[in-house]
Amino acid sequence: LTLTDGNLVVASGHGIDFSATANSSGTMSSELLDDYEEGTWTPSIGGNASYIHQSGTYVKIGRKVFLSCDIKINVIGTGVATQLNGAPFAAMNTGFPQGGISIMYYDAIATAVTSFNGYMNNNNSVITFSGNTGTAATTIGLNGFNVFKNSARVSFSIAYQTA
């Protein structure tokens, strides 16, 4: 195939077939790359909260989703303090929460923590935050703790799998 100008268009339901490559020692389910998408999403805590800014971007490659987010609350109002809504794709039901989250920046959050993490809920587009409040903890002690309040800001990226 030689393409000198324009885009390669693949019919719906088809993609790039990598079946000629060697298989891993694990259980393979597909060697077809049939989806790529990038765009923006609007993170929200719901209710009547107001924001100084709320922005998000995403890239979806196959079933893997990569999100970035920066949100700063102005007034929380009736918004939820423990979760962030609006991810563009629901997480796959794996039987356990998923997502590798990297908190890049946070300021003025509602609970003082020594570690700050998060995950995607199964079959949902909700991000729940988790963390610790003490230095001696060996496991994550808080799930769904209060993060958002007036003036709170959180910037993060997360990767997870969708159905």
Side-chain angles (χ1 to χ4, degrees), residues 105-153:
Y105 179 83
Y106 63 94
D107 184 38
I109 63 172
T111 303
V113 294
T114 57
S115 70
F116 190 14
N117 305 289
Y119 56 88
M120 291 293 294
N121 294 307
N122 285 310
N123 293 329
N124 213 314
S125 57
V126 172
I127 299 163
T128 299
F129 294 99
S130 58
N132 281 322
T133 57
T135 57
T138 57
T139 61
I140 296 193
L142 300 171
N143 286 298
F145 66 96
N146 285 348
V147 173
F148 298 106
K149 66 177 186 172
N150 295 348
S151 301
R153 179 180 179 189

Short mmCIF file of all heavy atoms in Angstrom, two decimals, residues 105-153:
data_model
loop_
_atom_site.label_atom_id
_atom_site.label_comp_id
_atom_site.label_asym_id
_atom_site.label_seq_id
_atom_site.Cartn_x
_atom_site.Cartn_y
_atom_site.Cartn_z
N TYR A 105 -0.98 17.78 40.55
CA TYR A 105 -1.05 18.99 41.37
C TYR A 105 -2.36 18.98 42.13
O TYR A 105 -3.39 18.57 41.60
CB TYR A 105 -0.98 20.24 40.48
CG TYR A 105 -1.07 21.53 41.26
CD1 TYR A 105 0.05 22.07 41.85
CD2 TYR A 105 -2.29 22.18 41.40
CE1 TYR A 105 -0.02 23.26 42.58
CE2 TYR A 105 -2.37 23.37 42.12
CZ TYR A 105 -1.23 23.90 42.71
OH TYR A 105 -1.31 25.06 43.43
N TYR A 106 -2.32 19.41 43.38
CA TYR A 106 -3.56 19.66 44.10
C TYR A 106 -3.33 20.79 45.09
O TYR A 106 -2.22 21.02 45.55
CB TYR A 106 -4.11 18.41 44.79
CG TYR A 106 -3.26 17.79 45.88
CD1 TYR A 106 -3.45 18.12 47.21
CD2 TYR A 106 -2.29 16.85 45.57
CE1 TYR A 106 -2.70 17.54 48.21
CE2 TYR A 106 -1.54 16.26 46.55
CZ TYR A 106 -1.73 16.62 47.88
OH TYR A 106 -0.98 16.04 48.86
N ASP A 107 -4.42 21.50 45.37
CA ASP A 107 -4.33 22.66 46.25
C ASP A 107 -5.69 22.85 46.91
O ASP A 107 -6.73 22.70 46.28
CB ASP A 107 -3.96 23.90 45.43
CG ASP A 107 -3.77 25.14 46.30
OD1 ASP A 107 -3.23 25.01 47.42
OD2 ASP A 107 -4.16 26.23 45.85
N ALA A 108 -5.67 23.18 48.18
CA ALA A 108 -6.87 23.54 48.95
C ALA A 108 -7.93 22.44 48.93
O ALA A 108 -9.12 22.73 48.91
CB ALA A 108 -7.44 24.86 48.44
N ILE A 109 -7.50 21.15 48.92
CA ILE A 109 -8.50 20.08 48.97
C ILE A 109 -9.08 19.99 50.38
O ILE A 109 -8.50 20.49 51.35
CB ILE A 109 -7.95 18.73 48.48
CG1 ILE A 109 -6.83 18.21 49.36
CG2 ILE A 109 -7.50 18.83 47.02
CD1 ILE A 109 -6.39 16.78 49.02
N ALA A 110 -10.22 19.34 50.51
CA ALA A 110 -11.00 19.36 51.75
C ALA A 110 -10.41 18.50 52.87
O ALA A 110 -10.70 18.75 54.03
CB ALA A 110 -12.43 18.91 51.46
N THR A 111 -9.59 17.49 52.56
CA THR A 111 -9.02 16.60 53.57
C THR A 111 -7.50 16.64 53.46
O THR A 111 -6.96 16.48 52.37
CB THR A 111 -9.52 15.15 53.36
OG1 THR A 111 -10.95 15.14 53.40
CG2 THR A 111 -8.97 14.23 54.43
N ALA A 112 -6.83 16.83 54.60
CA ALA A 112 -5.36 16.81 54.60
C ALA A 112 -4.91 15.36 54.44
O ALA A 112 -5.31 14.48 55.20
CB ALA A 112 -4.82 17.39 55.90
N VAL A 113 -4.08 15.09 53.42
CA VAL A 113 -3.63 13.74 53.13
C VAL A 113 -2.11 13.69 53.01
O VAL A 113 -1.47 14.68 52.68
CB VAL A 113 -4.27 13.18 51.83
CG1 VAL A 113 -5.76 13.00 52.01
CG2 VAL A 113 -3.96 14.07 50.65
N THR A 114 -1.56 12.50 53.27
CA THR A 114 -0.13 12.28 53.04
C THR A 114 0.11 11.58 51.72
O THR A 114 1.22 11.58 51.20
CB THR A 114 0.49 11.46 54.18
OG1 THR A 114 -0.22 10.23 54.29
CG2 THR A 114 0.43 12.23 55.49
N SER A 115 -0.92 10.92 51.18
CA SER A 115 -0.86 10.37 49.82
C SER A 115 -2.22 10.58 49.18
O SER A 115 -3.24 10.62 49.86
CB SER A 115 -0.49 8.88 49.83
OG SER A 115 -1.55 8.11 50.35
N PHE A 116 -2.22 10.72 47.86
CA PHE A 116 -3.44 11.07 47.13
C PHE A 116 -3.45 10.27 45.84
O PHE A 116 -2.54 10.36 45.04
CB PHE A 116 -3.41 12.57 46.86
CG PHE A 116 -4.69 13.17 46.33
CD1 PHE A 116 -5.90 12.50 46.35
CD2 PHE A 116 -4.66 14.45 45.80
CE1 PHE A 116 -7.05 13.09 45.85
CE2 PHE A 116 -5.80 15.05 45.29
CZ PHE A 116 -7.00 14.37 45.33
N ASN A 117 -4.47 9.42 45.67
CA ASN A 117 -4.59 8.54 44.51
C ASN A 117 -6.02 8.57 44.01
O ASN A 117 -6.83 9.36 44.45
CB ASN A 117 -4.21 7.10 44.91
CG ASN A 117 -2.85 7.03 45.55
OD1 ASN A 117 -1.87 7.20 44.86
ND2 ASN A 117 -2.80 6.81 46.86
N GLY A 118 -6.35 7.63 43.12
CA GLY A 118 -7.71 7.53 42.64
C GLY A 118 -7.87 6.37 41.69
O GLY A 118 -6.88 5.73 41.30
N TYR A 119 -9.11 6.09 41.32
CA TYR A 119 -9.42 4.96 40.44
C TYR A 119 -10.75 5.18 39.76
O TYR A 119 -11.55 6.02 40.16
CB TYR A 119 -9.42 3.65 41.21
CG TYR A 119 -10.36 3.63 42.40
CD1 TYR A 119 -11.70 3.25 42.26
CD2 TYR A 119 -9.92 4.00 43.66
CE1 TYR A 119 -12.56 3.24 43.33
CE2 TYR A 119 -10.78 3.99 44.75
CZ TYR A 119 -12.09 3.61 44.58
OH TYR A 119 -12.95 3.61 45.65
N MET A 120 -10.98 4.39 38.71
CA MET A 120 -12.26 4.39 38.00
C MET A 120 -13.15 3.30 38.59
O MET A 120 -12.68 2.20 38.88
CB MET A 120 -12.07 4.10 36.51
CG MET A 120 -11.36 5.20 35.75
SD MET A 120 -12.31 6.72 35.60
CE MET A 120 -13.68 6.20 34.59
N ASN A 121 -14.43 3.60 38.71
CA ASN A 121 -15.40 2.61 39.18
C ASN A 121 -15.87 1.75 38.01
O ASN A 121 -16.05 2.25 36.90
CB ASN A 121 -16.60 3.32 39.81
CG ASN A 121 -16.23 4.06 41.06
OD1 ASN A 121 -15.64 3.50 41.96
ND2 ASN A 121 -16.54 5.34 41.12
N ASN A 122 -16.06 0.45 38.24
CA ASN A 122 -16.54 -0.48 37.21
C ASN A 122 -17.85 -0.01 36.60
O ASN A 122 -18.74 0.47 37.31
CB ASN A 122 -16.74 -1.87 37.80
CG ASN A 122 -15.44 -2.57 38.04
OD1 ASN A 122 -14.59 -2.63 37.15
ND2 ASN A 122 -15.25 -3.09 39.23
N ASN A 123 -17.97 -0.17 35.26
CA ASN A 123 -19.19 0.18 34.53
C ASN A 123 -19.64 1.61 34.78
O ASN A 123 -20.83 1.90 34.78
CB ASN A 123 -20.35 -0.77 34.89
CG ASN A 123 -20.10 -2.17 34.41
OD1 ASN A 123 -19.45 -2.39 33.40
ND2 ASN A 123 -20.61 -3.13 35.16
N ASN A 124 -18.70 2.51 35.01
CA ASN A 124 -19.06 3.87 35.36
C ASN A 124 -18.02 4.83 34.82
O ASN A 124 -16.88 4.46 34.58
CB ASN A 124 -19.15 3.99 36.89
CG ASN A 124 -20.20 4.97 37.32
OD1 ASN A 124 -20.27 6.06 36.79
ND2 ASN A 124 -21.01 4.58 38.30
N SER A 125 -18.40 6.08 34.68
CA SER A 125 -17.47 7.11 34.23
C SER A 125 -17.16 8.07 35.37
O SER A 125 -16.98 9.26 35.18
CB SER A 125 -18.05 7.86 33.02
OG SER A 125 -19.31 8.41 33.35
N VAL A 126 -17.10 7.52 36.58
CA VAL A 126 -16.84 8.27 37.79
C VAL A 126 -15.44 7.95 38.32
O VAL A 126 -15.05 6.79 38.37
CB VAL A 126 -17.90 7.93 38.87
CG1 VAL A 126 -17.56 8.57 40.21
CG2 VAL A 126 -19.28 8.38 38.41
N ILE A 127 -14.71 8.97 38.71
CA ILE A 127 -13.40 8.81 39.32
C ILE A 127 -13.55 9.02 40.82
O ILE A 127 -14.07 10.06 41.26
CB ILE A 127 -12.39 9.80 38.73
CG1 ILE A 127 -12.24 9.54 37.23
CG2 ILE A 127 -11.05 9.72 39.46
CD1 ILE A 127 -11.61 10.67 36.46
N THR A 128 -13.15 8.04 41.61
CA THR A 128 -13.16 8.13 43.06
C THR A 128 -11.74 8.33 43.54
O THR A 128 -10.83 7.64 43.08
CB THR A 128 -13.75 6.85 43.69
OG1 THR A 128 -15.10 6.69 43.23
CG2 THR A 128 -13.75 6.92 45.20
N PHE A 129 -11.55 9.25 44.45
CA PHE A 129 -10.22 9.51 44.97
C PHE A 129 -9.98 8.70 46.24
O PHE A 129 -10.91 8.37 46.96
CB PHE A 129 -10.05 11.01 45.24
CG PHE A 129 -10.09 11.81 43.97
CD1 PHE A 129 -11.25 12.46 43.58
CD2 PHE A 129 -8.98 11.89 43.15
CE1 PHE A 129 -11.29 13.19 42.40
CE2 PHE A 129 -9.01 12.60 41.96
CZ PHE A 129 -10.17 13.25 41.60
N SER A 130 -8.73 8.36 46.48
CA SER A 130 -8.35 7.61 47.67
C SER A 130 -7.04 8.17 48.19
O SER A 130 -6.32 8.86 47.48
CB SER A 130 -8.22 6.12 47.34
OG SER A 130 -7.27 5.92 46.31
N GLY A 131 -6.72 7.86 49.45
CA GLY A 131 -5.49 8.36 50.02
C GLY A 131 -5.33 7.98 51.48
O GLY A 131 -6.09 7.19 52.02
N ASN A 132 -4.33 8.55 52.09
CA ASN A 132 -4.03 8.33 53.52
C ASN A 132 -3.92 9.67 54.22
O ASN A 132 -3.48 10.65 53.63
CB ASN A 132 -2.68 7.61 53.68
CG ASN A 132 -2.79 6.13 53.44
OD1 ASN A 132 -3.77 5.50 53.81
ND2 ASN A 132 -1.80 5.58 52.79
N THR A 133 -4.27 9.65 55.50
CA THR A 133 -4.11 10.86 56.30
C THR A 133 -2.95 10.74 57.29
O THR A 133 -2.57 11.72 57.89
CB THR A 133 -5.40 11.17 57.09
OG1 THR A 133 -5.72 10.05 57.91
CG2 THR A 133 -6.54 11.50 56.17
N GLY A 134 -2.39 9.53 57.46
CA GLY A 134 -1.31 9.35 58.41
C GLY A 134 -0.07 8.77 57.76
O GLY A 134 -0.15 8.09 56.75
N THR A 135 1.09 9.03 58.33
CA THR A 135 2.34 8.56 57.73
C THR A 135 2.60 7.09 58.01
O THR A 135 3.38 6.46 57.30
CB THR A 135 3.52 9.39 58.27
OG1 THR A 135 3.55 9.28 59.69
CG2 THR A 135 3.40 10.84 57.85
N ALA A 136 1.98 6.50 59.02
CA ALA A 136 2.26 5.11 59.38
C ALA A 136 1.38 4.11 58.64
O ALA A 136 1.53 2.92 58.79
CB ALA A 136 2.10 4.92 60.88
N ALA A 137 0.45 4.58 57.85
CA ALA A 137 -0.48 3.68 57.17
C ALA A 137 0.25 2.83 56.14
O ALA A 137 1.11 3.32 55.42
CB ALA A 137 -1.59 4.47 56.52
N THR A 138 -0.09 1.56 56.07
CA THR A 138 0.51 0.68 55.07
C THR A 138 -0.46 0.36 53.95
O THR A 138 -0.08 -0.25 52.97
CB THR A 138 0.97 -0.64 55.72
OG1 THR A 138 -0.15 -1.26 56.35
CG2 THR A 138 2.06 -0.37 56.73
N THR A 139 -1.71 0.73 54.10
CA THR A 139 -2.70 0.57 53.04
C THR A 139 -3.43 1.89 52.86
O THR A 139 -3.38 2.76 53.73
CB THR A 139 -3.74 -0.53 53.38
OG1 THR A 139 -4.42 -0.15 54.57
CG2 THR A 139 -3.08 -1.87 53.57
N ILE A 140 -4.10 2.01 51.74
CA ILE A 140 -4.87 3.22 51.50
C ILE A 140 -6.08 3.19 52.42
O ILE A 140 -6.91 2.28 52.35
CB ILE A 140 -5.26 3.34 50.02
CG1 ILE A 140 -3.98 3.47 49.22
CG2 ILE A 140 -6.24 4.46 49.80
CD1 ILE A 140 -4.10 3.90 47.83
N GLY A 141 -6.17 4.14 53.29
CA GLY A 141 -7.19 4.13 54.33
C GLY A 141 -8.45 4.87 54.01
O GLY A 141 -9.45 4.69 54.68
N LEU A 142 -8.43 5.72 53.00
CA LEU A 142 -9.60 6.53 52.69
C LEU A 142 -10.03 6.30 51.25
O LEU A 142 -9.23 6.41 50.34
CB LEU A 142 -9.28 8.02 52.85
CG LEU A 142 -8.85 8.50 54.22
CD1 LEU A 142 -8.36 9.94 54.15
CD2 LEU A 142 -9.99 8.39 55.20
N ASN A 143 -11.27 5.95 51.06
CA ASN A 143 -11.84 5.84 49.73
C ASN A 143 -13.06 6.72 49.69
O ASN A 143 -13.95 6.61 50.54
CB ASN A 143 -12.24 4.39 49.42
CG ASN A 143 -11.03 3.54 49.14
OD1 ASN A 143 -10.29 3.79 48.20
ND2 ASN A 143 -10.81 2.55 49.98
N GLY A 144 -13.12 7.59 48.72
CA GLY A 144 -14.27 8.47 48.61
C GLY A 144 -14.26 9.56 49.68
O GLY A 144 -15.30 10.02 50.09
N PHE A 145 -13.08 9.97 50.14
CA PHE A 145 -13.01 11.04 51.13
C PHE A 145 -13.29 12.39 50.47
O PHE A 145 -13.23 12.52 49.25
CB PHE A 145 -11.65 11.04 51.84
CG PHE A 145 -10.49 11.38 50.94
CD1 PHE A 145 -10.00 12.68 50.89
CD2 PHE A 145 -9.88 10.42 50.16
CE1 PHE A 145 -8.94 13.00 50.06
CE2 PHE A 145 -8.82 10.73 49.33
CZ PHE A 145 -8.35 12.03 49.28
N ASN A 146 -13.59 13.39 51.28
CA ASN A 146 -13.88 14.72 50.73
C ASN A 146 -12.63 15.32 50.12
O ASN A 146 -11.61 15.47 50.79
CB ASN A 146 -14.44 15.64 51.81
CG ASN A 146 -15.87 15.33 52.16
OD1 ASN A 146 -16.53 14.57 51.45
ND2 ASN A 146 -16.36 15.89 53.25
N VAL A 147 -12.71 15.63 48.84
CA VAL A 147 -11.62 16.26 48.11
C VAL A 147 -11.99 17.70 47.79
O VAL A 147 -11.24 18.63 48.04
CB VAL A 147 -11.32 15.51 46.79
CG1 VAL A 147 -10.31 16.27 45.94
CG2 VAL A 147 -10.84 14.10 47.08
N PHE A 148 -13.19 17.88 47.25
CA PHE A 148 -13.58 19.19 46.73
C PHE A 148 -14.29 20.03 47.77
O PHE A 148 -15.10 19.55 48.55
CB PHE A 148 -14.46 19.00 45.50
CG PHE A 148 -13.73 18.29 44.39
CD1 PHE A 148 -14.01 16.97 44.09
CD2 PHE A 148 -12.72 18.93 43.69
CE1 PHE A 148 -13.33 16.31 43.09
CE2 PHE A 148 -12.03 18.27 42.69
CZ PHE A 148 -12.33 16.96 42.39
N LYS A 149 -13.93 21.30 47.77
CA LYS A 149 -14.57 22.34 48.56
C LYS A 149 -14.37 23.63 47.79
O LYS A 149 -13.77 23.63 46.71
CB LYS A 149 -13.96 22.42 49.97
CG LYS A 149 -12.51 22.86 49.98
CD LYS A 149 -11.96 23.01 51.38
CE LYS A 149 -10.54 23.59 51.33
NZ LYS A 149 -10.04 23.92 52.64
N ASN A 150 -14.82 24.74 48.31
CA ASN A 150 -14.58 26.02 47.66
C ASN A 150 -13.08 26.20 47.44
O ASN A 150 -12.28 25.94 48.33
CB ASN A 150 -15.11 27.18 48.51
CG ASN A 150 -16.61 27.15 48.66
OD1 ASN A 150 -17.31 26.41 47.98
ND2 ASN A 150 -17.12 27.95 49.58
N SER A 151 -12.69 26.60 46.24
CA SER A 151 -11.31 26.90 45.84
C SER A 151 -10.40 25.68 45.66
O SER A 151 -9.21 25.84 45.40
CB SER A 151 -10.65 27.87 46.81
OG SER A 151 -11.38 29.08 46.85
N ALA A 152 -10.90 24.44 45.80
CA ALA A 152 -10.06 23.25 45.62
C ALA A 152 -9.66 23.09 44.16
O ALA A 152 -10.46 23.36 43.25
CB ALA A 152 -10.79 22.00 46.11
N ARG A 153 -8.44 22.61 43.94
CA ARG A 153 -7.96 22.36 42.58
C ARG A 153 -7.25 21.01 42.54
O ARG A 153 -6.47 20.68 43.42
CB ARG A 153 -6.98 23.45 42.13
CG ARG A 153 -6.45 23.20 40.72
CD ARG A 153 -5.50 24.27 40.28
NE ARG A 153 -5.01 23.98 38.93
CZ ARG A 153 -4.05 24.65 38.35
NH1 ARG A 153 -3.46 25.67 38.97
NH2 ARG A 153 -3.65 24.32 37.14
#
